[in-house]
Amino acid sequence: MAKPTADGMIAEPETSSRRASGRAEAPAVPIGPDELIDAYRRVRGVTELLCEPLGTEDYVIQTMPDVSPTKWHLAHTTWFFEQFILQDHSPGRYEPVNSLYDYLFNSYYNAVGPRHCRPRRGLISRPTVQEVLEYRRIVDDRIGRLLQCPDGAILETIAPLITLGIQHEQQHQELMITDIKHVFSSNPLLPAYREHEPDCGETAVVPLSMDWVDVPEGVYEIGTNAPKNGRPFAYDNETPRHRVFLEAFRLATCLVRNAEFLQFIQDGGYQRPEHWLSFGWATVTAEKCQCPLYWFREGGDAGPWLQYTLAGAREIDPGEPVCHLSYFEADAFARWAGARLPTEAEWEVAASAEPLVGHFADSLIFHPRQVSHANPGKLKQIFGDVWEWTSSSYEAYPGFEPPPGAVGEYNAKFMCNQYVLRGGSCATPVGHVRRTYRNFFPPDARWQFSGIRLAKDA
Amino acid sequence: MAKPTADGMIAEPETSSRRASGRAEAPAVPIGPDELIDAYRRVRGVTELLCEPLGTEDYVIQTMPDVSPTKWHLAHTTWFFEQFILQDHSPGRYEPVNSLYDYLFNSYYNAVGPRHCRPRRGLISRPTVQEVLEYRRIVDDRIGRLLQCPDGAILETIAPLITLGIQHEQQHQELMITDIKHVFSSNPLLPAYREHEPDCGETAVVPLSMDWVDVPEGVYEIGTNAPKNGRPFAYDNETPRHRVFLEAFRLATCLVRNAEFLQFIQDGGYQRPEHWLSFGWATVTAEKCQCPLYWFREGGDAGPWLQYTLAGAREIDPGEPVCHLSYFEADAFARWAGARLPTEAEWEVAASAEPLVGHFADSLIFHPRQVSHANPGKLKQIFGDVWEWTSSSYEAYPGFEPPPGAVGEYNAKFMCNQYVLRGGSCATPVGHVRRTYRNFFPPDARWQFSGIRLAKDA
Amino acid sequence: MAKPTADGMIAEPETSSRRASGRAEAPAVPIGPDELIDAYRRVRGVTELLCEPLGTEDYVIQTMPDVSPTKWHLAHTTWFFEQFILQDHSPGRYEPVNSLYDYLFNSYYNAVGPRHCRPRRGLISRPTVQEVLEYRRIVDDRIGRLLQCPDGAILETIAPLITLGIQHEQQHQELMITDIKHVFSSNPLLPAYREHEPDCGETAVVPLSMDWVDVPEGVYEIGTNAPKNGRPFAYDNETPRHRVFLEAFRLATCLVRNAEFLQFIQDGGYQRPEHWLSFGWATVTAEKCQCPLYWFREGGDAGPWLQYTLAGAREIDPGEPVCHLSYFEADAFARWAGARLPTEAEWEVAASAEPLVGHFADSLIFHPRQVSHANPGKLKQIFGDVWEWTSSSYEAYPGFEPPPGAVGEYNAKFMCNQYVLRGGSCATPVGHVRRTYRNFFPPDARWQFSGIRLAKDA
Amino acid sequence: MAKPTADGMIAEPETSSRRASGRAEAPAVPIGPDELIDAYRRVRGVTELLCEPLGTEDYVIQTMPDVSPTKWHLAHTTWFFEQFILQDHSPGRYEPVNSLYDYLFNSYYNAVGPRHCRPRRGLISRPTVQEVLEYRRIVDDRIGRLLQCPDGAILETIAPLITLGIQHEQQHQELMITDIKHVFSSNPLLPAYREHEPDCGETAVVPLSMDWVDVPEGVYEIGTNAPKNGRPFAYDNETPRHRVFLEAFRLATCLVRNAEFLQFIQDGGYQRPEHWLSFGWATVTAEKCQCPLYWFREGGDAGPWLQYTLAGAREIDPGEPVCHLSYFEADAFARWAGARLPTEAEWEVAASAEPLVGHFADSLIFHPRQVSHANPGKLKQIFGDVWEWTSSSYEAYPGFEPPPGAVGEYNAKFMCNQYVLRGGSCATPVGHVRRTYRNFFPPDARWQFSGIRLAKDA
């Protein structure tokens, strides 16, 4: 079986330059049908490839309301294409594959109609996995036929939607990984999803001298303008490009490691309310939270710290970036460390000249690498490895306008009580993330690969 | 593949005679190893046969805390034999098939150890269905070997436990049917478990003239004494045989039908608190309950009444016994009808001369038959079709003593806030039920095949 | 201030003789208007007298859904007279004191109309205490006028209802005491309701040799027939007198004391599931229950056991009857002690020749006395001190018929998931309880003065 | 009885000028002891004056977790002075008034110690109202004595804390009003707190031509620097003064009125998910929310709209500002109206030249005035009447540092999942609010006097 690699995914060229420079625009060449169907097929293939290690039973489970069954992800991403491209743009009256799938596989689009209640996605044994794969085949065929002989007008309309569907499917690829990790970790048998060798380069952990880059005060531009002809792709929530004033600040060159986080734990970090936001303290108290998600101690309170990874349970590696933290934990750690989290504008400005490379899902490792000590004074691991919590509430940029219709529900309606994360993780498809990319989760979410990069006032 | 029939199940000869007559004892001939392994294999086979219509995904789902996944039933009944026979009685140190299965598949035996939380049984994708079937194979082999060359002393000890395990597995066969019905009914696709023809004998429903049998006052004996040498089998909660005084009473010869229950609904039965127990009224109000479980109206409030059956959804047949009622609904209906539910002693005394025949699970229909109008003045459908709610709280009989050790937890510890049902249903394995058999469920339970037989003071 | 004494309450002469003897009937002389208004005024006075130790703020609080504010009790008992006597029986159209009081002070009578939600009774600051007392004055006056010149026909109708209202108010007197105990115990200041001297007769606790009375098997009569002309008063749930068969049994002569219950605690009683009903174990586990309600340890796990009493907090007296136990705790203790709880029929038969005397609320002590060791072989403290849990689910007696109309909701609709308690407590008004009296509470209720008398099979 | 007026409260002179102008500083003259004790006494007096209309029972009630009993407010504000001034700064060892008051009346200061659980504040009848007033007397005396002969060093330390305590007490004055409104509105009797005449100037509502002020893009300064010598007072969350870049925008001159909000309701605003944030839609759906808090229809769905005010229930006045809205309702209305909410920076910049006058609590009316149509093109009712929801999540300003110790918990730890409101309301004490003042509540909070001022991109 072929392994998916970086070139098995859509690379999305993107540039963003620093300090009110204006955006170096990628030429907005219209995307052609061949290129489109090619991209479509590669992403659809990667999704199914991620399922290869699973047994049929594994596709069905939903271990908490935030988690969706793998089967649901497979069907929902397909429904997205069926609903927004086939249903809305096929010539003549469209015959849906199954008229109940609208109900079962709509995630949250009120404009499309009523839908199955999210926390009950794991209570549906039918359609079976085979039937869902068949559903994928049929929709893939229909999309293929639609793109074979499109008239130009239709292509102009559907190309951005297919691109959106591809990006959407990549987001669900990441969720499939984080969701199956939650599913397997909830099973006392602690099954592995896929074996891999842990990092072994830097087993001796050197003390992490806190190393910072300095960014001067000024008016900067962040965000991006809406794509023309569908490219370069960006989500609506990244638009428009706009100016912000930043005071001078410092950003840590490295991610926070397990070694430092263990110090926080050993210093009573989870027992001392002065480090925590009020709502965070209420949450860790109510949930009896004493360590990052997926950490546990073997043999009780004095045993060694282990963590469940997608390759099974193993000891904590002190040199790896700490991950599976809530915003509350990231914020509490930062306060304990005498620092703070960066704002999303600070992060984006600092990252604007960084190359868009990193450790993404194409490695098939699904676990962050050790923190790099190379090149002091330079930002490292800005992209990939772990999503980095910012202190910024997820809000509309000035001048933001969601697109009309159901796809306008994609991002805008979640702009409340969520916090922005930046940079992508080891479970993010390569090519999916951008410097301007805004991921967002509620402050108590822990099941994503979420970690910490510290900031400070200058 | 062969279909299970009545003779594919263990028939359990049982007699009980009326009016303080003492029990006509079946001769307590010790059961032999050949007979035992035969009975064991037949029951184990029926369990797996019931799974034939299922897809792998169907085994995994738990749609409410009361429901267990089919996979769990398959494993738990096996664990019962492994724990109480192999583990406790094998010569030498026993090597369990998987040391975590004790944790995963113990239902409620505190004396055995900690266990997986019941409402989370549906969150466990592994062991897979294949692995569970393999677990069954291994335990079946080990039980077979144990019985091949038992010494007499061991046989005397384990024969009653194997018999208990067989009866236990039969109970889970019924639960598998009622649980999969809940699973399928929760799916908007409403899949069928197994097609069958509905009854079509009596489509024209004649008004049900209420017909009663009269039982005079007196001291009666009910219950049974503990088996000797493990036979005839009875659960501990049926013991000991003891005397009760009954005032004269009348028992309806027929079960209540859908036709009558529809009258109750149309008369505003679910809207009028005067029919209901206070706790029942609170329950139907909170759950917005307006009809029996699995009933619904096609096309809203004025549409025809349908019901989901294991053969799919179809119109209500007015001549069938109403079922899937809570104790609250049974009690409210009885009050509305100017009658009451029988006590379990009344039921048992009236049933004591009835032949132990009826419509059980061996028909593979899993839906009650039409109510019989034949033979006025005679009790009909006392056994099979639907479990009949009694007004009796599930309590210990005078002189009751649970057996020592973990199996003492089988029945006794549930004697609180549950009500007794009698007579078996269309999902009960043939031969499983007895005149003295006490089934019990909380008063709000509706997912069993539970119906109504009315009683009255004489 | 005058103290209420035994003669300040309605004594209710009652006899009940043993062993199928038939009931020795009290002559059913019709009650006259003078006697009635006298009894009415005495009971109404006692209610207000019980409020004397309270500050205005104390009347308003509801510390759990089961508890009602004192102010609510004062108003609800008044509403009962206004609704069922003045409203229903006054000549001409009745003008209610305040048309919203029907809504605010109806407890649970669906036939009367909608009502304020029970758990929100503590969220209502108006009417004020003064306004409620004024409400009492007005209704008392109107009842007085109605009884001053009744025609005979009306008297015959309302006399039983006034008697019912008087008995109802006595029940609320007990609830006022148990509710205010919960209110004060919930306050970290632990205020006392009323000082009193603890018992000091038997500070040296002698080991309680378990002493029993034996009752032979037989058919007994229990319950009572419905009153004629309203007397002797009995609640509908005590009717009709009927026969039961009892196997021979033994009943403990004494109540279980704190000393024995401490042994149960020290023996790990609350940590060992084998003593508990399944639902009881779930309850004590969920509520982290480790001792009777109102017990606590001063200074943590090793400190001495204290208990909150209505006279304030003080050390546990080992010679007092244990009280404030749930059914679950009573049942678990009995199992641990190798005994069981009596059925209500057993209790009533054993108590049938006992004099109706005991330690009731007229002592104004509101705490049980030390357990008596006098007169071995004789039942002691059968009445008063603590309500005695029986193993009997609260169910209708054979032939029971609730009265028509709203008062039919008084008792019958609660016959589900409740257990019967017998004998009255130190908070029960003297004269209120009878040998046939059936009190009932859900098995997890602990805030009543509820304790244990053991039974055994003979 | 004397009425409190504007000069009965602390006026706080404050200026803030626009466009990066730097702050025109008030001269930081140290505050003297006489001035301080005078301010202290005036504010303490106003608090008690607000209680005059209450009955004793009204002080005790807590109708939802967010609401505190009046009695608790009286005690907690006193505890604040006792804890942070007397306890921490009295010479010698301080003898607390009651050692349990620390536990009962600490609101949320973890650094001070454990405390009574917030949702149980309404379950405490003692200390009584009289005892709480006595507590106030004692602390007032001790504060008075402390200020009579302070040495200069102590004065310098405690003056800012007394000022903080005074401001804190003013905040609780507003909460007392909003909390008692919730208490009274929860009572079916709908009692009035204090009669007053409704506005009657502009009964004929003219259509509100949307009138806007325009603000050009630029770098502006907002916030304020930390006070020197305790004055001019500002909360830590308003600091430091810092620069922000704003795109050009427009701000509505008038508040949104009931008339417009009724149009939103009549247009199906509460039924159409496209207007709502996802979390807002979930909230209004779950709570069946169909109108602002305190609105209801007389006689069912077709009756006239009424609202409960502190003067009792009356018809909706279409010309009054709509209030008691959640952030979700304000945001949904703005989207429906084709506009948006302003950010807090936009609001502050636009308000920076507005005079600090408005309709505050000193009118004793506690209900917003009609919306003014005078002076087109000018901002109106920026201060007072209703708090104006901004779209800004409540976050730390760049460079913000909370003060050390327990008072550092005053504001900072709530910076999560809350939104900023600006401008003060009809329940805010005159002199309490500033241009830089940041009030904050969770997005579902409705019981404050919270309304809408619209904004738009230029």
Side-chain angles (χ1 to χ4, degrees), chain A residues 209-225:
Chain A
S209 56
M210 267 298 156
D211 184 34
W212 309 87
V213 294
D214 281 270
V215 180
E217 74 171 47
V219 173
Y220 293 89
E221 281 192 2
I222 65 166
T224 186
N225 287 318

PDB file of all heavy atoms in Angstrom, chain A residues 209-225:
ATOM      1  N   SER A 209      17.263  27.112  27.981  1.00  0.00           N
ATOM      2  CA  SER A 209      17.430  28.545  28.244  1.00  0.00           C
ATOM      3  C   SER A 209      16.373  29.252  27.422  1.00  0.00           C
ATOM      4  O   SER A 209      16.211  29.000  26.237  1.00  0.00           O
ATOM      5  CB  SER A 209      18.821  29.008  27.806  1.00  0.00           C
ATOM      6  OG  SER A 209      19.003  28.675  26.448  1.00  0.00           O
ATOM      7  N   MET A 210      15.618  30.081  28.092  1.00  0.00           N
ATOM      8  CA  MET A 210      14.551  30.752  27.379  1.00  0.00           C
ATOM      9  C   MET A 210      15.159  31.754  26.416  1.00  0.00           C
ATOM     10  O   MET A 210      15.892  32.666  26.805  1.00  0.00           O
ATOM     11  CB  MET A 210      13.605  31.439  28.361  1.00  0.00           C
ATOM     12  CG  MET A 210      12.426  30.553  28.744  1.00  0.00           C
ATOM     13  SD  MET A 210      11.384  30.147  27.279  1.00  0.00           S
ATOM     14  CE  MET A 210      10.620  28.628  27.847  1.00  0.00           C
ATOM     15  N   ASP A 211      14.813  31.557  25.183  1.00  0.00           N
ATOM     16  CA  ASP A 211      15.422  32.306  24.103  1.00  0.00           C
ATOM     17  C   ASP A 211      14.285  33.015  23.352  1.00  0.00           C
ATOM     18  O   ASP A 211      13.249  32.412  23.098  1.00  0.00           O
ATOM     19  CB  ASP A 211      16.127  31.273  23.205  1.00  0.00           C
ATOM     20  CG  ASP A 211      16.889  31.898  22.085  1.00  0.00           C
ATOM     21  OD1 ASP A 211      17.445  32.991  22.247  1.00  0.00           O
ATOM     22  OD2 ASP A 211      16.890  31.268  20.997  1.00  0.00           O
ATOM     23  N   TRP A 212      14.458  34.263  23.043  1.00  0.00           N
ATOM     24  CA  TRP A 212      13.353  35.068  22.519  1.00  0.00           C
ATOM     25  C   TRP A 212      13.735  35.800  21.240  1.00  0.00           C
ATOM     26  O   TRP A 212      14.876  36.170  21.039  1.00  0.00           O
ATOM     27  CB  TRP A 212      12.943  36.143  23.535  1.00  0.00           C
ATOM     28  CG  TRP A 212      12.683  35.617  24.911  1.00  0.00           C
ATOM     29  CD1 TRP A 212      13.603  35.444  25.897  1.00  0.00           C
ATOM     30  CD2 TRP A 212      11.428  35.179  25.436  1.00  0.00           C
ATOM     31  NE1 TRP A 212      13.010  34.941  27.025  1.00  0.00           N
ATOM     32  CE2 TRP A 212      11.664  34.778  26.776  1.00  0.00           C
ATOM     33  CE3 TRP A 212      10.126  35.111  24.934  1.00  0.00           C
ATOM     34  CZ2 TRP A 212      10.651  34.286  27.607  1.00  0.00           C
ATOM     35  CZ3 TRP A 212       9.129  34.648  25.752  1.00  0.00           C
ATOM     36  CH2 TRP A 212       9.383  34.229  27.075  1.00  0.00           C
ATOM     37  N   VAL A 213      12.758  36.066  20.394  1.00  0.00           N
ATOM     38  CA  VAL A 213      12.935  37.041  19.311  1.00  0.00           C
ATOM     39  C   VAL A 213      12.177  38.306  19.711  1.00  0.00           C
ATOM     40  O   VAL A 213      11.123  38.228  20.349  1.00  0.00           O
ATOM     41  CB  VAL A 213      12.409  36.525  17.946  1.00  0.00           C
ATOM     42  CG1 VAL A 213      13.244  35.351  17.452  1.00  0.00           C
ATOM     43  CG2 VAL A 213      10.949  36.167  18.015  1.00  0.00           C
ATOM     44  N   ASP A 214      12.737  39.434  19.329  1.00  0.00           N
ATOM     45  CA  ASP A 214      12.126  40.718  19.675  1.00  0.00           C
ATOM     46  C   ASP A 214      11.452  41.325  18.455  1.00  0.00           C
ATOM     47  O   ASP A 214      12.017  41.345  17.364  1.00  0.00           O
ATOM     48  CB  ASP A 214      13.193  41.685  20.193  1.00  0.00           C
ATOM     49  CG  ASP A 214      13.544  41.375  21.625  1.00  0.00           C
ATOM     50  OD1 ASP A 214      12.898  41.933  22.522  1.00  0.00           O
ATOM     51  OD2 ASP A 214      14.440  40.504  21.830  1.00  0.00           O
ATOM     52  N   VAL A 215      10.254  41.860  18.648  1.00  0.00           N
ATOM     53  CA  VAL A 215       9.533  42.515  17.566  1.00  0.00           C
ATOM     54  C   VAL A 215       9.211  43.935  18.032  1.00  0.00           C
ATOM     55  O   VAL A 215       8.649  44.118  19.116  1.00  0.00           O
ATOM     56  CB  VAL A 215       8.241  41.746  17.212  1.00  0.00           C
ATOM     57  CG1 VAL A 215       7.494  42.452  16.075  1.00  0.00           C
ATOM     58  CG2 VAL A 215       8.568  40.309  16.832  1.00  0.00           C
ATOM     59  N   PRO A 216       9.596  44.940  17.234  1.00  0.00           N
ATOM     60  CA  PRO A 216       9.376  46.316  17.679  1.00  0.00           C
ATOM     61  C   PRO A 216       7.923  46.756  17.527  1.00  0.00           C
ATOM     62  O   PRO A 216       7.153  46.151  16.783  1.00  0.00           O
ATOM     63  CB  PRO A 216      10.280  47.121  16.750  1.00  0.00           C
ATOM     64  CG  PRO A 216      10.413  46.302  15.518  1.00  0.00           C
ATOM     65  CD  PRO A 216      10.294  44.866  15.933  1.00  0.00           C
ATOM     66  N   GLU A 217       7.564  47.820  18.215  1.00  0.00           N
ATOM     67  CA  GLU A 217       6.214  48.355  18.101  1.00  0.00           C
ATOM     68  C   GLU A 217       5.962  48.889  16.703  1.00  0.00           C
ATOM     69  O   GLU A 217       6.898  49.166  15.955  1.00  0.00           O
ATOM     70  CB  GLU A 217       5.999  49.478  19.126  1.00  0.00           C
ATOM     71  CG  GLU A 217       6.723  50.770  18.757  1.00  0.00           C
ATOM     72  CD  GLU A 217       6.318  51.933  19.655  1.00  0.00           C
ATOM     73  OE1 GLU A 217       6.287  51.745  20.883  1.00  0.00           O
ATOM     74  OE2 GLU A 217       6.031  53.015  19.113  1.00  0.00           O
ATOM     75  N   GLY A 218       4.694  48.985  16.338  1.00  0.00           N
ATOM     76  CA  GLY A 218       4.388  49.539  15.022  1.00  0.00           C
ATOM     77  C   GLY A 218       3.020  49.119  14.543  1.00  0.00           C
ATOM     78  O   GLY A 218       2.333  48.317  15.182  1.00  0.00           O
ATOM     79  N   VAL A 219       2.629  49.702  13.399  1.00  0.00           N
ATOM     80  CA  VAL A 219       1.397  49.290  12.746  1.00  0.00           C
ATOM     81  C   VAL A 219       1.749  48.201  11.741  1.00  0.00           C
ATOM     82  O   VAL A 219       2.602  48.395  10.877  1.00  0.00           O
ATOM     83  CB  VAL A 219       0.713  50.479  12.046  1.00  0.00           C
ATOM     84  CG1 VAL A 219      -0.470  49.997  11.222  1.00  0.00           C
ATOM     85  CG2 VAL A 219       0.273  51.515  13.067  1.00  0.00           C
ATOM     86  N   TYR A 220       1.118  47.062  11.892  1.00  0.00           N
ATOM     87  CA  TYR A 220       1.383  45.913  11.022  1.00  0.00           C
ATOM     88  C   TYR A 220       0.117  45.531  10.277  1.00  0.00           C
ATOM     89  O   TYR A 220      -0.987  45.849  10.709  1.00  0.00           O
ATOM     90  CB  TYR A 220       1.827  44.709  11.856  1.00  0.00           C
ATOM     91  CG  TYR A 220       3.170  44.880  12.516  1.00  0.00           C
ATOM     92  CD1 TYR A 220       3.271  45.442  13.778  1.00  0.00           C
ATOM     93  CD2 TYR A 220       4.340  44.468  11.863  1.00  0.00           C
ATOM     94  CE1 TYR A 220       4.505  45.600  14.397  1.00  0.00           C
ATOM     95  CE2 TYR A 220       5.583  44.625  12.481  1.00  0.00           C
ATOM     96  CZ  TYR A 220       5.653  45.186  13.730  1.00  0.00           C
ATOM     97  OH  TYR A 220       6.871  45.337  14.333  1.00  0.00           O
ATOM     98  N   GLU A 221       0.314  44.814   9.200  1.00  0.00           N
ATOM     99  CA  GLU A 221      -0.845  44.229   8.528  1.00  0.00           C
ATOM    100  C   GLU A 221      -0.908  42.745   8.840  1.00  0.00           C
ATOM    101  O   GLU A 221       0.102  42.049   8.796  1.00  0.00           O
ATOM    102  CB  GLU A 221      -0.740  44.407   7.016  1.00  0.00           C
ATOM    103  CG  GLU A 221      -1.129  45.808   6.576  1.00  0.00           C
ATOM    104  CD  GLU A 221      -1.305  45.897   5.070  1.00  0.00           C
ATOM    105  OE1 GLU A 221      -1.163  44.863   4.377  1.00  0.00           O
ATOM    106  OE2 GLU A 221      -1.594  47.006   4.599  1.00  0.00           O
ATOM    107  N   ILE A 222      -2.122  42.274   9.109  1.00  0.00           N
ATOM    108  CA  ILE A 222      -2.321  40.825   9.260  1.00  0.00           C
ATOM    109  C   ILE A 222      -3.564  40.425   8.476  1.00  0.00           C
ATOM    110  O   ILE A 222      -4.312  41.266   7.990  1.00  0.00           O
ATOM    111  CB  ILE A 222      -2.455  40.386  10.731  1.00  0.00           C
ATOM    112  CG1 ILE A 222      -3.719  40.978  11.347  1.00  0.00           C
ATOM    113  CG2 ILE A 222      -1.208  40.730  11.528  1.00  0.00           C
ATOM    114  CD1 ILE A 222      -4.102  40.324  12.670  1.00  0.00           C
ATOM    115  N   GLY A 223      -3.774  39.127   8.398  1.00  0.00           N
ATOM    116  CA  GLY A 223      -4.914  38.615   7.631  1.00  0.00           C
ATOM    117  C   GLY A 223      -4.605  38.635   6.148  1.00  0.00           C
ATOM    118  O   GLY A 223      -3.478  38.947   5.717  1.00  0.00           O
ATOM    119  N   THR A 224      -5.599  38.290   5.381  1.00  0.00           N
ATOM    120  CA  THR A 224      -5.398  38.216   3.940  1.00  0.00           C
ATOM    121  C   THR A 224      -6.681  38.676   3.273  1.00  0.00           C
ATOM    122  O   THR A 224      -7.742  38.707   3.885  1.00  0.00           O
ATOM    123  CB  THR A 224      -5.034  36.780   3.512  1.00  0.00           C
ATOM    124  OG1 THR A 224      -4.709  36.772   2.127  1.00  0.00           O
ATOM    125  CG2 THR A 224      -6.200  35.818   3.733  1.00  0.00           C
ATOM    126  N   ASN A 225      -6.566  39.040   2.007  1.00  0.00           N
ATOM    127  CA  ASN A 225      -7.787  39.430   1.309  1.00  0.00           C
ATOM    128  C   ASN A 225      -8.459  38.217   0.691  1.00  0.00           C
ATOM    129  O   ASN A 225      -7.821  37.173   0.475  1.00  0.00           O
ATOM    130  CB  ASN A 225      -7.479  40.487   0.270  1.00  0.00           C
ATOM    131  CG  ASN A 225      -7.188  41.808   0.953  1.00  0.00           C
ATOM    132  OD1 ASN A 225      -7.876  42.187   1.908  1.00  0.00           O
ATOM    133  ND2 ASN A 225      -6.137  42.475   0.512  1.00  0.00           N
TER     134      ASN A 225
END
